[in-house]
Amino acid sequence: MPAAQDSILAGLTEMINAVLGDFADDQPITMDTTFRDDLGMESIDVVSLAGRLQARYGDTVNFAHFVAKLDLETISELRVGQLVEHIATSLEGADGVGAGSR
């Protein structure tokens, strides 16, 4: 896994644990961890996570746009790694746009 994704996974793990609070298991969160089945996250938890992503990354990482492109089955089986990859791609794209526009 690239170092950037490693760092993103670590930050995302902190956010997930903060969202789940006392309901967080002691299981490690990996790229293959699913939000629903492994973490037991419900829609309200995902909304809270989206707020934390917004607070950390601003408009650079648009979680709602990411989820809107997925079908219902994919959303129900969403893995942490998919979100990590989306964040990494969004951040890389932002760097490229910012560098080219100046």
Side-chain angles (χ1 to χ4, degrees), residues 14 17-19 23-24 30 32-34 40 48 64-66 69 75 78 81 89 102:
E14 288 176 17
N17 285 330
V19 166
F23 297 105
T30 69
D32 292 324
T33 301
T34 60
S48 181
H65 185 261
F66 169 65
K69 295 186 289 185
I75 291 171
L78 189 64
T89 300
R102 292 179 191 224

Side-chain angles (χ1 to χ4, degrees), residues 17 26-27 29 55 60 63 71 76:
N17 285 330
D26 288 334
Q27 71 176 349
I29 296 175
T60 303
F63 183 73
D71 61 47
S76 69

Side-chain angles (χ1 to χ4, degrees), residues 44-93:
I44 191 71
D45 299 320
V46 174
V47 170
S48 181
L49 178 60
R52 289 176 184 274
L53 288 167
Q54 173 73 28
R56 176 169 284 181
Y57 298 111
D59 293 334
T60 303
V61 176
N62 189 329
F63 183 73
H65 185 261
F66 169 65
V67 173
K69 295 186 289 185
L70 305 175
D71 61 47
L72 191 56
E73 183 177 340
T74 304
I75 291 171
S76 69
E77 297 172 357
L78 189 64
R79 292 177 296 104
V80 170
Q82 290 170 279
L83 182 53
V84 168
E85 290 165 2
H86 169 69
I87 293 169
T89 300
S90 297
L91 295 175
E92 288 170 8

